[in-house]
Amino acid sequence: MKERKERKESKEREEGKATGEGGRGAARDALQGGRDDPWTAAWEVSRRKAVAVVDCRQEIPCDPCETACRKGAIRVGDDVCALPISEPETCDGCGRCVALCPGMAIYLIDRSADGGKAAVTVPYEMGEEPRAGMEARVVDGEGKELGRGKILEVRAMGGAAATLLVKVEVPETWALKVRGVRLRQMFIEEPEEVEGYRGTGDCLICRCEEIARAEVEKAAGSGFRSLAALRRASRVGLGYCQGRFCREPLREELARKCGRGVEELGIGSPRPPLRPVKISRLGGGDVRDTQF
Amino acid sequence: MALPAYECPMVVVGAGPAGLCAALEAAEAGIRALVMDENERGGGQLYKQIHRFFGSRHHGAGKRGFEIAAEMVEGCERAGVEIRLSSAVLGCFPGGELLVDGPEGVYLLRPQATVLATGAAERCFPFAGWTLPGVMGAGAAQTLLNVHGVLPGKRVLMVGAGNVGLIVAYQLLQAGAEVAGVVEAERGSRGYEVHLQRVRREGVPVYFRHRLLAAEGDEGVEAALVESVDEGRVRRFRVDALCLAVGLVPQAELAAMRGCRIAYADELGGFLPWHDREMRTSVPGVYVAGDAAGVEEASVAMDEGRLAAVAAAEDLGALDGARAAAKRKELLARLEGLRGGPTASHIRRARARLNAG
């Protein structure tokens, strides 16, 4: 496998992400970094024209931005996991990459109008319909509301099931922070504290045969060491669903009780029929002549 | 009992991305595969995916899941592949016969080659209240939303911040539901960062190091109790639906019935038919592809399906060794690319173990 410097850095970022804020911190650092980083270049060019900012920071197998761009301004290359590199000078601000990026991680920024304003174009796929002239909540990558912005233009791009591109006017200082517009007010209430929680008691583990978890624990405690034995003893997993709901939880429960790994218990011995089927159908009565 | 039995060169079980690509690749080698699927439409899970897909141009990346599904089904039609829908394969006998329950009735198929592309099933776990109406797998919620046009709830709590949980949370928002939060026991998301960002951008709180304790309600879900793992603080979320996105399990039952050796890889979803790099199982004439061979991406499933068909075509004598090797080389390189990033390190580890025996 190709060992690229960026890949190593991205790995570090990813590890940072797992423990909290490292990913975003690294991105902010990149933003304030040297002259050759693409964001700085895009920022400069956006003084003159609308230009794509590619906020793709995780090396995942994805490259449609490269073919979306008809100007060849975005390169991923042969390694499908490589981070895209954009050339702001070549970008004509058409917005196809904004519409087609599966991660919705590309934006257009345009600072060519004077007066301390910037126009930012973001992809939009929610149900509420944005229209030019409306006020929208403008949010950053964390979903924090930066404030309100006026929608300047709405376009549809990217095939029959198009993505809407919403161009919103914001203060210039937000230009690189804006990641979305929100039209809906959600009423997310804070969850209430539960004082003195003392557990919920038992629950079913096999819903078809109505067998409680405690019964399974008891059976496992009394020496059953396989799913098959447990099934024979309790009918667990032998109901209508044929264990499709409970097989995995049962295996885990049994493994825990026996002090064994799940893999040691084995997959068991599944037998036909895999799905419920009427005996009359198995009798073969209503089989039409089948051509092969 | 004498069920009608039919001979055929190749049967593909499952019309998802792996199965359809296997059939397309087989058609290129001149083998007319018969694709069986228990659903009413082809395309597998892709058919209900409304988001744009990752991957490369070989996998329809940048298009929405249902668009990719439609293209593959059309491709099969053009290639003369027969897809039998509403046809469940109920069993696979040691002799290789497949037991099918379809619109034609119940019958047996005797294929020379069998590609198992049965996909994966949603994992679930028992908790107090898990049998209440309103508790469902995230995939079930997605089926309700995108196939049946039914909102699973007005306010939903998502359990699991992997790609499935994050994608379905976003689709719930798109359909007009509120998502009260995404609960994840780990410190961070196993999913792609862009999926996490999209959900956060819509104002949905993501609770890491939290776990679901119970669902409450009389006739259906009215609330969910959630505990912070580190502080032991318990909180009640007022929601009317609870979606579980806690992993997928390869559907390996047919392979086990057939006598294929079963391996175990936690990173790939658990038990799965052991297979070599070319997607041959331990039983000659039986191949496996897609999530059934270990849970990964749809793009991986497509290339695995093609690999399985190349192996089958070679074994049937429809593809000479040199052409098979050339195709395989290209597909393996593509798969290596898809699995090349830092987010797939656990997949590479599990695959290396599997290949070693």
Side-chain angles (χ1 to χ4, degrees), chain B residues 128-282:
Chain B
W130 78 303
T131 54
L132 283 171
V135 179
M136 66 191 82
Q142 196 175 43
T143 305
L144 280 178
L145 283 175
N146 299 338
V147 179
H148 303 291
V150 174
L151 215 53
K154 289 196 179 74
R155 277 171 62 79
V156 186
L157 187 71
M158 179 63 69
V159 181
N163 279 335
V164 173
L166 294 170
I167 287 168
V168 176
Y170 195 79
Q171 293 182 357
L172 283 161
L173 295 167
Q174 287 179 295
E178 289 192 357
V179 178
V182 180
V183 172
E184 167 62 55
E186 301 294 323
R187 286 182 195 284
S189 170
R190 287 156 290 130
Y192 293 155
E193 193 178 328
V194 282
H195 286 316
L196 180 64
Q197 295 300 329
R198 287 202 304 170
V199 168
R200 281 203 161 141
R201 218 180 283 162
E202 297 303 322
V204 174
V206 181
Y207 298 88
F208 290 118
R209 297 291 286 162
H210 279 67
R211 65 189 187 106
L212 176 73
L213 293 176
E216 296 179 328
D218 292 327
E219 303 288 311
V221 174
E222 290 165 23
L225 295 183
V226 171
E227 179 185 42
S228 67
V229 177
D230 299 320
E231 303 159 0
R233 183 176 167 207
V234 178
R235 282 180 289 179
R236 179 177 285 113
F237 290 73
R238 300 270 170 207
V239 291
D240 58 358
L242 195 53
C243 291
L244 307 180
V246 293
L248 300 168
V249 187
Q251 304 208 91
E253 289 81 9
L254 286 177
M257 281 179 205
R258 180 70 178 83
C260 298
R261 195 182 125 208
I262 301 296
Y264 184 87
D266 210 21
E267 303 94 327
L268 297 171
F271 292 104
L272 49 96
W274 177 87
H275 53 279
D276 63 12
R277 272 157 52 96
E278 304 174 359
M279 309 315 287
R280 290 182 178 94
T281 68
S282 64

Side-chain angles (χ1 to χ4, degrees), chain B residues 17 78 80 135 205 319:
Chain B
R78 274 197 306 276
V135 179
L319 208 56

Side-chain angles (χ1 to χ4, degrees), chain A residues 66 93 130 148 198 275 289:
Chain A
E66 184 173 57
R148 304 263 174 162
R198 279 190 302 276
R275 301 279 185 268
D289 188 33

Side-chain angles (χ1 to χ4, degrees), chain A residues 57-58 61 63 125 141 161 163 182 184 192-194 204 247 252 274-275 281-282 287-288 292, chain B residues 1 6 38 52 55 64 90 101-102 104 123 130 173-174 179 193 197 201 233-234 236 253 342:
Chain A
R57 309 177 222 139
Q58 195 181 28
D63 70 3
E125 297 224 316
T163 296
R182 220 187 286 158
R184 177 163 45 149
E192 64 191 49
E193 299 288 334
V194 178
L204 291 181
R247 198 181 300 129
E252 279 157 27
L274 259 186
R275 301 279 185 268
R281 283 180 72 74
L282 273 182
V287 180
R288 286 204 309 264
F292 284 90
Chain B
M1 186 175 63
Y6 307 91
E38 63 184 338
R52 296 187 190 276
R64 299 181 193 277
L90 298 178
D101 180 15
E104 302 88 356
R123 190 182 280 276
W130 78 303
L173 295 167
Q174 287 179 295
V179 178
E193 193 178 328
Q197 295 300 329
R201 218 180 283 162
R233 183 176 167 207
V234 178
R236 179 177 285 113
E253 289 81 9

